[in-house]
Amino acid sequence: MHRDPGPAFLGDIDLAEDAVQDAFAIALQRWPRDGAPTNPGAWIVTTARNRAIDRIRREQTLARKTELLGRAEQLPDDEDTTIPDERLELIFACCHPALAPEAQVALTLSLFGGLTTPEIARAFLVPEPTLAQRLVRAKRKIRDAGIPLRVPPEHLLPERLRSVLAVIYLVFNAGYGPPVRVELCGEAIRLALLLATLMPDEPEAHGLHALLLLQDARRDARVTPAGELVLLDDQDRSQWDDAEIEQGRAALLRALPLRQPGPYQLQAAIAAAHSEDERDWPRIALLYRRLGELAPSPVVELNRAVAVAMADGPQAGLTLVDAIDGLDEYHLYHSARADLLRRLGRTGESSSAYERALELAPSDVERDFLRGRLASRSGS
């Protein structure tokens, strides 16, 4: 694997994280005024490296920092760095098996793309203080155990693949919004393609690439020009990217001959089923059931319940929803339950569920959508 210079080369996780955060802060100041650079990712890496060098110079009385300075100044100052390689290597470096899987993903997201602790906490469906402590423990373990922040040998890459796939998927979700951040979606898709190219015998790498393409194809139809959220059933399919849908289906087909079904392939198959003109809801429900067997999750069960409701009626779906534990703080659980109650004519209970979803919704776009649903709760 080709290795390009960037924050990961420093070998000091706190220094790398601070440098990346500084670079994003500078970008927020300069880009609105001067315009975004041709290669924003390379600009971030170069700026982060320069900030790290400045900090090392300020602390150069320490022998270790002086050594790092020498290594940094030998690197080329080139904004055309091949960013997908650099970022993918950073992800593999952070996904060290000595760290808990949740810590691997949270740590990488804190370094990658400037995601904030609240954003990462929402991705994990955990309180922000819990996520913050998880990051602190991961960094402490890296320091105390002397875990190197470097890319592992090629033969060890597969054992880190699961966490790497999770990181790329969560980066995509952070960009998918709402609000939508196109640059994060695009970067996640590029990384997924690179990973599938570098590891062609890993079916889940193809599955993830397919899933991101199929979801991204609907991105422009998910939010109106006024910033309002649009559900799948109400989306203007003429805004879907047909070419990207075909690319996603082709990526999924590349996984099938490997005969190792996994969660990302199943999610991609579900996304492909949603792209059909006529959706086969019983088949979608069965795919979710299989997904729940391979990767048990209350969120998967919630999605299966919604599919069952579409196939067998709202009461069948509500029965499954009410049996799910662990989602009381998840706004989409209450929103889905509210919609099923509305379809059953249980208006008062539906209103209460929408109000709870509104309390928990993490963005203005989602809150506006739920207010609209709440205002029309007496409709059919």
Side-chain angles (χ1 to χ4, degrees):
M1 183 184 294
H2 175 66
R3 294 194 174 95
D4 293 309
F9 84 93
L10 294 166
D12 185 314
I13 192 166
D14 288 324
L15 181 57
E17 184 173 19
D18 289 346
V20 171
Q21 295 296 334
D22 285 348
F24 273 95
I26 294 170
L28 288 174
Q29 292 178 347
R30 292 186 184 175
W31 292 3
R33 182 191 66 210
D34 303 333
T38 303
N39 191 335
W43 188 97
I44 289 291
V45 170
T46 299
T47 303
R49 182 178 64 237
N50 292 338
R51 295 292 290 183
I53 291 173
D54 290 342
R55 177 173 169 181
I56 292 167
R57 283 196 177 107
R58 290 195 299 269
E59 302 175 7
Q60 60 184 340
T61 55
L62 298 177
R64 187 174 66 89
K65 298 291 185 178
T66 303
E67 178 185 357
L68 290 174
L69 175 61
R71 292 167 58 192
E73 290 184 322
Q74 292 173 5
L75 295 171
D77 185 12
D78 181 6
E79 291 193 6
D80 292 327
T81 299
T82 309
I83 298 305
D85 289 80
E86 162 64 27
R87 295 192 178 187
L88 189 59
E89 288 184 354
L90 176 59
I91 294 172
F92 270 105
C94 288
C95 291
H96 195 284
L99 300 173
E102 297 84 358
Q104 295 172 9
V105 177
L107 178 63
T108 312
L109 289 175
S110 73
L111 285 167
F112 180 93
L115 298 186
T116 65
T117 298
E119 288 173 325
I120 303 170
R122 286 198 297 272
F124 278 100
L125 302 180
V126 299
E128 185 178 338
T130 300
L131 191 281
Q133 284 300 312
R134 188 176 293 173
L135 287 170
V136 168
R137 287 194 297 270
K139 294 175 187 178
R140 184 182 298 125
K141 185 168 186 176
I142 286 173
R143 285 193 297 267
D144 295 347
I147 296 174
L149 185 63
R150 65 169 181 254
V151 182
E154 186 172 350
H155 70 280
L156 295 179
L157 294 181
E159 73 180 22
R160 303 193 187 185
L161 180 62
R162 183 176 179 180
S163 294
V164 171
L165 292 170
V167 168
I168 295 174
Y169 188 39
L170 289 174
V171 168
F172 177 85
N173 283 340
Y176 206 49
V180 174
R181 285 185 284 181
V182 176
E183 71 283 356
L184 281 182
C185 291
E187 188 63 32
I189 291 171
R190 285 191 293 273
L191 287 171
L193 172 59
L194 178 62
L195 190 61
T197 302
L198 294 174
M199 307 179 78
D201 295 328
E202 296 289 349
E204 282 289 77
H206 297 294
L208 176 64
H209 184 219
L211 174 61
L212 300 193
L213 287 168
L214 289 163
Q215 289 184 332
D216 192 64
R218 300 194 298 265
R219 186 188 65 217
D220 291 342
R222 291 178 67 243
V223 181
T224 69
E228 299 170 338
L229 189 64
V230 183
L231 294 184
L232 182 61
D233 287 341
D234 300 323
Q235 289 175 12
D236 179 0
R237 289 187 170 226
S238 68
Q239 292 185 294
W240 290 7
D241 189 329
D242 292 335
E244 200 166 24
I245 289 174
E246 290 306 312
Q247 291 170 14
R249 289 173 176 164
L252 183 56
L253 287 175
R254 285 192 285 273
L256 297 182
L258 299 172
R259 298 183 180 277
Q260 297 177 40
Y264 292 109
Q265 295 167 72
L266 284 167
Q267 290 179 76
I270 292 167
H274 280 301
S275 70
E276 300 290 343
D277 292 336
E278 295 291 333
R279 279 176 285 176
D280 185 344
W281 284 109
R283 178 171 174 266
I284 293 172
L286 285 174
L287 287 169
Y288 271 120
R289 181 173 182 173
R290 178 60 174 148
L291 178 60
E293 293 169 353
L294 289 181
S297 160
V299 174
V300 172
E301 289 305 309
L302 178 62
N303 282 299
R304 182 171 82 90
V306 172
V308 168
M310 297 300 295
D312 300 329
Q315 184 57 60
L318 183 62
T319 299
L320 292 176
V321 168
D322 285 342
I324 299 173
D325 293 324
L327 292 182
D328 190 58
E329 299 298 315
Y330 186 44
H331 70 290
L332 293 180
Y333 168 81
H334 296 284
S335 177
R337 188 170 183 274
D339 184 63
L340 295 175
L341 289 165
R342 177 189 62 81
R343 290 165 59 188
L344 289 167
R346 294 160 63 175
T347 305
E349 294 173 88
S350 175
S351 296
S352 297
Y354 273 128
E355 288 169 355
R356 177 61 174 156
L358 185 58
E359 292 175 2
L360 297 170
S363 72
D364 289 338
V365 172
E366 289 165 299
R367 284 188 286 271
D368 288 343
F369 171 81
L370 289 167
R371 288 189 189 100
R373 284 286 167 136
L374 191 56
S376 62
R377 62 189 179 277
S378 59
S380 59

